Amino acid sequence: MVFPELLVILAEWVLYRLLANSCYRAARKLRGYGFQLKNLLNLSKPQPLNNSSHHQHQQQNQQSQHLQDSLNPLFPSITKYQEPPDRNRACSVSSDHHHHHHTLVCDIDGVLLRQHSSKHFHTFFPYFMLVAFEGGSIIRAILLLLSCSFLWALPQETKLKIISFITFSGLRVKDMDNVSRSVLPKFFLENLNLQVYDIWARTSYSKVVFTSLPQVIVERFLREHLNADDVVGTKLQEIEVLGRKFYTGLASGSGFVVKHKSAKDYFLDNNNKKPSIGIGSSSSSQDHIFISICKEAYLWNEEESMNKNNTLPRERYPKPLIFHDGRLAFLPTPFATLAMFIWLPIGFVLSVFRISVGVLLPYHVANFLASLSGVRITFKSHNLYNGPPEKGKSGVLYVCNHRTLLDPVFLTTSLGKPLTAVTYSLSKFSELIAPLKTVSLKRDRKKDGEAMQRLLSKGDLVVCPEGTTCREPYLLRFSPLFAELTEDIVPVAVDARVSMFYGTTASGLKCLDPIFFLMNPRPVYCLEILKKLPKEMTCAGGKSSFEVANFIQGELARVLGFECTNLTRKDKYLVLAGNEGIVR
């Protein structure tokens, strides 16, 4: 019985999805071809001798433009959008009047966000995978990936229902909240559609997003980062078990949102007013119906933008992307996710090998074997201090910015001499596998200062005064305690790059950070040891500890091309994990 049903579904897909869509596109182009034939006939007619060449050239340009417009007779391209002449007047009206009379509507799927996944699965598949992997588990992510084997044979609406059920069924509401706050914004910002965002950012109209997607995936980003005034999406059912809330994976209320119906209910039935501007995707027949209720309607055509750089530059992000969480460093499209799962066992074995050679073998041998396994280390030094400190003098204090827990490890192996690293929070597992001595600080200024002073009297010390890692090109505020300990201070600029997994986390298991970093096929570590700090720039030269810390932060930012901030460890963990980042 199953096989005949599959044949029926396949036949339906061929007849109604393939043939119907082909006929629809052909019908849309017939009119364009008719205009093209007419224009060719007109061009073939002999022109009067008294027509000037300038007039002929102008007429040909008009015909060419008319032909281009006729190829898409329903709605103009988004490139034809122009700012309204009464923009200043629109800005001066009251917020209530503005909401009702001047509104921009669009979808996030395929309009505000660029499409990266095949429509045979679902264009929003990568973001469902992020929720399944980061908020759920690896088993849930595998099940979602396996669903791709039959998604191609189903209608778009059915695809959305299936991947929503797999992603959300049994998922804790709290976990989804963490993913929407700390994981998804990074990928949404990197995949914003530049052409649509230009209109979104420039217009002073109220902005309402209608989408069939689960509202919990997109609402926080749209409201907090893009300042959307309202979001209308599919609401999911929730159940409470032993005081904890879970999703059932099913839509609540009237089911999954149908955009044009929801827009009519939102605008026409309530106040009988049409939205001013609507933007849709040229490849979505539903979007054509959706934006038809608007006074002005435009289509974003993916084919027109294929040869253009449609990526939003980092400096134009509506909010700076400083903190984000999650393990995946790539957008998990179906094929990229499949490649990741194939690599996973290989990467784990490779990570164990890299950790073993770093712990058990001499530094120069460990560096050689690490490079053979794919680890790339670039090391540049303007200062080298070797050997223990002279009697009565302290060791050298290496001050690094903090990219991963492996910063002191790569510095030690690159220098080829043992260092002692001080940390604020380090898991027992990370302390066990570290190939150098580590000492945990107590967050007591006096006791921490005394402990670091004792360690400096015995040898060189490495400290990361940011107190926590930062993935993006920003430096957090430097704690000034280190500047009071010695005048022998050497700044070290550190950067780390990955392609598959991040080696840091705020809400996950920190003991797995080194493993995930070393599971990357070709992780990159860049270290540059700067010149020793001049005495006049230290506390011994009359500078305050805050001035020394700020100076070193600025120097490291200059070398790395990063930006300084006043944010701290506490700010990061409160944003990403809702705690102060203490590892117990």
Side-chain angles (χ1 to χ4, degrees), residues 202-494:
R202 291 201 313 264
T203 183
S204 58
Y205 295 168
S206 296
K207 305 172 183 73
V208 181
V209 175
F210 292 87
T211 181
S212 302
L213 300 169
Q215 191 165 322
V216 292
I217 296 183
V218 299
E219 183 172 22
R220 183 188 292 270
F221 171 75
L222 290 171
R223 289 187 182 274
E224 295 183 1
H225 290 265
L226 298 188
N227 297 319
D229 294 279
D230 203 357
V231 179
V232 180
T234 300
K235 293 180 171 58
L236 300 178
Q237 290 180 358
E238 298 178 11
I239 58 173
E240 187 169 344
V241 180
L242 300 177
R244 297 182 177 182
K245 291 184 177 181
F246 297 85
Y247 291 108
T248 65
L250 304 175
S252 62
S254 57
F256 281 78
V257 165
V258 180
K259 288 182 287 188
H260 64 274
K261 292 182 180 179
S262 296
K264 288 180 180 178
D265 294 339
Y266 190 90
F267 290 102
L268 304 184
D269 292 347
N270 292 337
N271 49 37
N272 201 28
K273 298 294 182 181
K274 291 184 177 182
S276 302
I277 302 174
I279 304 176
S281 172
S282 62
S283 60
S284 171
S285 57
Q286 284 194 13
D287 276 13
H288 288 72
I289 305 173
F290 166 56
I291 63 177
S292 64
I293 68 170
C294 304
K295 297 177 183 177
E296 297 180 49
Y298 300 91
L299 290 175
W300 178 72
N301 194 327
E302 187 177 4
E303 296 176 357
E304 291 181 359
S305 308
M306 289 182 64
N307 297 327
K308 300 179 182 178
N309 183 10
N310 207 28
T311 304
L312 186 69
R314 173 180 288 273
E315 59 272 13
R316 291 195 55 193
Y317 284 179
K319 288 184 179 180
L321 179 63
I322 301 176
F323 300 133
H324 60 87
D325 203 11
R327 290 296 187 186
L328 296 184
F330 63 97
L331 188 68
T333 60
F335 293 109
T337 305
L338 177 62
M340 183 265 292
F341 280 120
I342 293 174
W343 172 259
L344 208 55
I346 303 172
F348 179 76
V349 174
L350 194 59
S351 177
V352 173
F353 170 77
R354 290 166 173 172
I355 292 175
S356 300
V357 299
V359 173
L360 302 175
L361 300 179
Y363 296 135
H364 64 282
V365 178
N367 283 338
F368 175 73
L369 292 178
S371 62
L372 287 182
S373 70
V375 180
R376 181 186 172 193
I377 304 174
T378 60
F379 179 70
K380 183 178 180 182
S381 176
H382 301 282
N383 261 309
L384 281 179
Y385 293 84
N386 292 297
E390 298 178 5
K391 189 174 182 180
K393 294 190 65 177
S394 63
V396 175
L397 181 61
Y398 292 96
V399 180
C400 307
N401 62 296
H402 206 4
R403 301 302 277 178
T404 77
L405 290 176
L406 298 174
D407 294 339
V409 175
F410 279 97
L411 179 61
T412 294
T413 56
S414 298
L415 288 173
K417 65 175 183 177
L419 300 174
T420 301
V422 291
T423 61
Y424 284 100
S425 294
L426 190 67
S427 67
K428 296 297 182 181
F429 177 76
S430 299
E431 191 173 349
L432 180 66
I433 65 173
L436 75 166
K437 183 180 178 181
T438 59
V439 177
S440 296
L441 300 179
K442 306 300 182 183
R443 300 184 183 278
D444 183 293
R445 184 178 180 84
K446 182 178 179 180
K447 292 181 179 179
D448 290 344
E450 293 174 352
M452 294 170 69
Q453 196 72 61
R454 287 195 302 270
L455 294 170
L456 274 172
S457 65
K458 299 178 182 178
D460 297 340
L461 189 66
V462 55
V463 63
C464 301
E466 286 178 288
T468 188
T469 58
C470 184
R471 298 174 175 178
E472 297 300 318
Y474 296 92
L475 295 183
L476 307 186
R477 190 177 70 190
F478 278 30
S479 172
L481 176 60
F482 72 90
E484 303 171 4
L485 304 177
T486 180
E487 63 183 67
D488 294 326
I489 300 175
V490 177
V492 181
V494 180

Side-chain angles (χ1 to χ4, degrees), residues 97-134:
H97 180 83
H98 192 191
H99 174 79
H100 289 306
H101 292 274
H102 301 281
T103 308
L104 183 150
V105 298
C106 66
D107 192 356
I108 186 173
D109 182 18
V111 180
L112 272 173
L113 294 183
R114 293 175 289 125
Q115 296 180 357
H116 285 277
S117 183
S118 171
K119 296 175 187 176
H120 294 306
F121 307 117
H122 192 278
T123 55
F124 219 72
F125 178 91
Y127 306 101
F128 282 97
M129 179 57 72
L130 285 169
V131 175
F133 188 90
E134 305 289 3

Side-chain angles (χ1 to χ4, degrees), residues 74-87:
L74 296 179
F75 302 105
S77 169
I78 197 174
T79 57
K80 306 295 176 58
Y81 172 78
Q82 295 181 351
E83 289 286 340
D86 58 343
R87 180 181 178 185

